[in-house]
Amino acid sequence: MSPNPVTARMELMAQQVAERVVALVLDAIDIDALLDRVDVEKLIDRVDVEKVVERVDVERIIERVDVERIIEQVDVQKIIERVDVNAIIGELDIDALVEQTELGAIIAHSTTGILSEVLDVIRAQGVGLDDFCLRWANRLVGRKVIDWPKGPPLLVDQEAPS
Amino acid sequence: MTSVPAAPPSKMTIGRQGNYAGAVSRLAAFAADVGISWGLFTAAVALLSVATQLFGGTTVSLTHHQILAIVAVAIWEFLYFSYSWAVSGKTVGMALLGLQVVTAEGGRMTARQAALRTLGLVLCFLTLGIGFLGILFQRNRRGLQDFVAGTSVVYSWDARAARLRFMSHTEFSKQRGAK
């Protein structure tokens, strides 16, 4: 502000007048009408986005983002509840899925399970009885079977003790 | 819900694949084969009888043709055993008991060996079963039919897989029970 009191008063008055005029002008302006006259598309076209992006330090922004905090704020349960699982299942082609995966083989395998188990038991019992009979037969003739071959040479290791 | 066998294949049976098979398994397999082959023969004769009655008006019966019946049975049994052995080294009964006929060295048997082994079986019966004693007392568990054909019988059953099957099944049942 000027040191001269008269000049200072004049400046103050001029400032008050200017403020009053600006306020009157702003009141008189129809902002919506003004915005309507602005060609936003043209304005955007004039903006060099590449240049703006180049000036942005993305790494720094990422560093400042607290991902853990964002994840914590996400309500997964709410998202799951909004997913229509029935609709998804309804769109699945089960036949194609069975054909493309080993699911068919697994299903077929499970249906033959009981028969396999019964056969396993019968065979295991048979092996047990085979050994029992062999032991008694050898005991009958007073012979030890330690050096006997386990099986045909092409099928078993002959070095292994029986 | 599927039933679980009372006992798994014991550790003793694991690793027996390719080992010489014992007398009991072989006897059980043979008994099963006799039953199956007789059943098939009877069914075939019955079907033939029905067919001739339908189309020719006469019935076929082997009751009054004993020699013909014996010859037919002999041919059928010969075909049943020799064909099965020639194709896969095992009959249906042997497949059930997990057995397989291989050459004395452990290779795949030929059709000739299959035919000879079938004839060897007949020889065993002609010796009143003495030919079978080799299965119990011979070191390679070979009967007369095996010596005639140059074959031996081994376990072809994978007991290790069977045990794993049992264990996985038991584990699965436990898990279901816990839930």
Side-chain angles (χ1 to χ4, degrees):
Chain A
M1 196 175 279
S2 175
N4 189 334
V6 177
T7 313
R9 281 194 69 179
M10 288 293 284
E11 281 180 3
L12 187 64
M13 194 187 291
Q15 192 177 348
Q16 284 174 347
V17 169
E19 284 174 359
R20 181 69 183 148
V21 168
V22 168
L24 285 170
V25 169
L26 286 175
D27 286 343
I29 291 171
D30 184 356
I31 301 292
D32 290 329
L34 190 70
L35 286 174
D36 287 342
R37 291 178 67 182
V38 174
D39 189 350
V40 181
E41 289 294 328
K42 203 172 177 181
L43 199 69
I44 290 168
D45 287 343
R46 290 177 69 180
V47 175
D48 188 352
V49 180
E50 288 295 328
K51 206 170 178 179
V52 173
V53 170
E54 277 174 15
R55 290 176 67 181
V56 174
D57 189 351
V58 181
E59 291 293 329
R60 200 170 164 193
I61 293 169
I62 291 169
E63 279 173 13
R64 289 177 68 182
V65 173
D66 189 351
V67 180
E68 290 294 329
R69 197 173 162 193
I70 293 168
I71 292 170
E72 278 174 12
Q73 286 178 358
V74 173
D75 190 349
V76 180
Q77 193 60 41
K78 204 171 177 181
I79 293 169
I80 291 170
E81 281 171 8
R82 289 176 69 180
V83 174
D84 190 352
V85 181
N86 289 328
I88 294 168
I89 291 171
E91 287 178 11
L92 281 178
D93 186 352
I94 301 294
D95 290 337
L97 190 73
V98 169
E99 279 177 15
Q100 287 172 17
T101 62
E102 290 183 6
L103 207 60
I106 293 165
I107 293 164
H109 186 76
S110 65
T111 53
T112 57
I114 300 167
L115 182 63
S116 300
E117 285 164 11
V118 171
L119 283 178
D120 288 342
V121 172
I122 292 170
R123 290 165 176 178
Q125 298 293 332
V127 174
L129 286 169
D130 287 342
D131 288 349
F132 176 78
C133 287
L134 189 66
R135 273 199 306 276
W136 273 100
N138 285 310
R139 195 173 290 178
L140 204 66
V141 293
R143 183 171 56 185
K144 289 183 178 178
V145 295
I146 295 167
D147 297 329
W148 278 19
K150 278 179 159 184
L154 290 175
L155 298 178
V156 296
D157 179 12
Q158 292 300 298
E159 298 299 318
S162 62
Chain B
M1 190 175 168
T2 56
S3 61
V4 180
S10 68
K11 285 180 180 175
M12 187 181 70
T13 61
I14 291 173
R16 293 293 188 95
Q17 201 173 17
N19 286 17
Y20 291 121
V24 177
S25 293
R26 290 173 68 168
L27 181 66
F30 183 72
D33 279 325
V34 169
I36 290 163
S37 60
W38 268 97
L40 288 173
F41 182 80
T42 309
V45 171
L47 273 174
L48 188 69
S49 178
V50 170
T52 51
Q53 198 167 17
L54 280 173
F55 298 109
T58 56
T59 55
V60 173
S61 174
L62 295 175
T63 314
H64 305 296
H65 305 87
Q66 287 189 352
I67 294 172
L68 181 68
I70 290 168
V71 170
V73 168
I75 291 171
W76 164 244
E77 294 291 340
F78 178 82
L79 287 174
Y80 175 84
F81 283 99
S82 57
Y83 179 77
S84 302
W85 284 329
V87 169
S88 61
K90 56 181 85 170
T91 56
V92 178
M94 293 178 94
L96 288 172
L97 270 293
L99 307 176
Q100 187 175 5
V101 186
V102 293
T103 63
E105 293 75 29
R108 187 183 169 88
M109 73 186 304
T110 62
R112 183 175 173 275
Q113 283 178 306
L116 281 173
R117 194 168 195 275
T118 313
L119 294 174
L121 265 182
V122 179
L123 273 179
C124 285
F125 283 108
L126 289 176
T127 58
L128 301 174
I130 293 169
F132 290 117
L133 290 177
I135 298 169
L136 269 178
F137 297 106
Q138 205 271 330
R139 67 199 306 268
N140 292 342
R141 270 76 92 202
R142 295 172 75 192
L144 180 60
Q145 73 277 26
D146 291 314
F147 282 105
V148 168
T151 57
S152 51
V153 181
V154 295
Y155 296 113
S156 63
W157 166 56
D158 188 359
R160 193 181 302 278
R163 188 173 174 81
L164 288 173
R165 268 202 300 276
F166 176 86
M167 287 168 74
S168 65
H169 195 133
T170 313
E171 195 61 35
F172 179 67
S173 300
K174 275 182 190 172
Q175 285 174 2
R176 285 190 69 179
K179 279 184 183 173

